[in-house]
Amino acid sequence: MLVLLPPSEGKASSGRGAPLKPESLSLPALADARRAVLDELVDLCAADEEKARDVLGLSEGLRGEIAKNAELRTAGARPAGEIYTGVLYDALDLASLDAAAKRRAARSLLVFSGLWGAVGVTDRIPSYRCSMGVKLPGLGALGAYWRTPMASAMPEAAGDGLVLDLRSSAYAAAWKPKGEVADRTATVRVLHAQLDPATGVEKRSVVSHFNKATKGRIVRSLLETGARPKNPAELVEVLRDLGHVVEAQAPAKAGKAWALDVVVREIH
């Protein structure tokens, strides 16, 4: 099983670890594309702070992120699972998993990134600021830029098992599963269900915070139990066994991903 995650906007500090070793990152086929993005981002942030702030869409309060980007080649690096923070990663809580679950996480989790394309949670990276929505002056929109290298690298990474796609739309733009890979891909949406007191009719909505937290809990439970669903239909049964309310929509034709709605009635 391969699980695709979004990154977090907020990130932990790089710390005092050894600097980035680009050749050590997962998906080595992305090396040239990563080098191009890293070079342009570092040069942009080192040369013109105001232009970099505009390109990266940073508020005045985040100006310090520009200096951090300018030093990416020499900054300390830590496992990506420690760098990414926020609601999903708090719920996933990789650090508290037992040894077996941590090994499963290292094998099965990929975090998509505007800077790196995608990295494994044990890949050592520095803290950075560069979302998939950024449009670099030389390379253009990163969502579009990554499509070609990802199209080459991701089918091999997906292997012949289930692909659980939990990315947000901005990061999903960088790679869309096709063909037989799409047939064994499941996307997940988390819906909050509430009764309208006036009508007594149940209404459903996407709540960003809880959407992220629930996805983090789903991944954690899969890692803890060691569940190995081979396809979307088996994933639905596993999630139901774990206590989730899941509504599944099989694709109308081959070459399309399954769409799963996880329905939650209590936000916590």
Side-chain angles (χ1 to χ4, degrees), residues 83-182:
I83 290 289
Y84 295 116
T85 59
V87 175
L88 188 154
Y89 292 91
D90 287 346
L92 175 53
D93 195 8
L94 288 167
S96 69
L97 292 171
D98 64 29
K102 285 180 179 177
R103 287 193 295 270
R104 296 181 193 113
R107 291 194 303 266
S108 62
L109 305 187
L110 274 183
V111 184
F112 271 59
S113 162
L115 174 54
W116 313 115
V119 292
V121 292
T122 58
D123 288 349
R124 297 179 64 82
I125 60 173
S127 184
Y128 67 95
R129 192 78 176 210
C130 184
S131 72
M132 193 66 81
V134 164
K135 185 176 181 180
L136 292 175
L139 297 177
L142 290 177
Y145 169 80
W146 281 111
R147 286 175 197 154
T148 297
M150 283 291 186
S152 298
M154 284 305 299
E156 181 179 353
D160 58 3
L162 171 71
V163 178
L164 175 55
D165 189 352
L166 303 179
R167 297 172 296 166
S168 57
S169 57
Y171 291 88
W175 180 64
K176 184 177 181 180
K178 295 180 180 179
E180 61 89 19
V181 178

Side-chain angles (χ1 to χ4, degrees), residues 19 25 32 35 39 42 44 54 57 60 63 70 74 77 79 88 102 112 130 158 196 200 204 235 238 251 260 263:
L25 298 180
D32 289 344
R35 188 178 302 110
D39 287 349
V42 169
L44 170 69
D54 182 60
E60 178 63 32
R63 185 181 288 272
T74 57
L88 188 154
K102 285 180 179 177
F112 271 59
C130 184
D196 186 324
R204 296 177 175 182
L235 174 65
V238 167
L260 309 186
V263 182

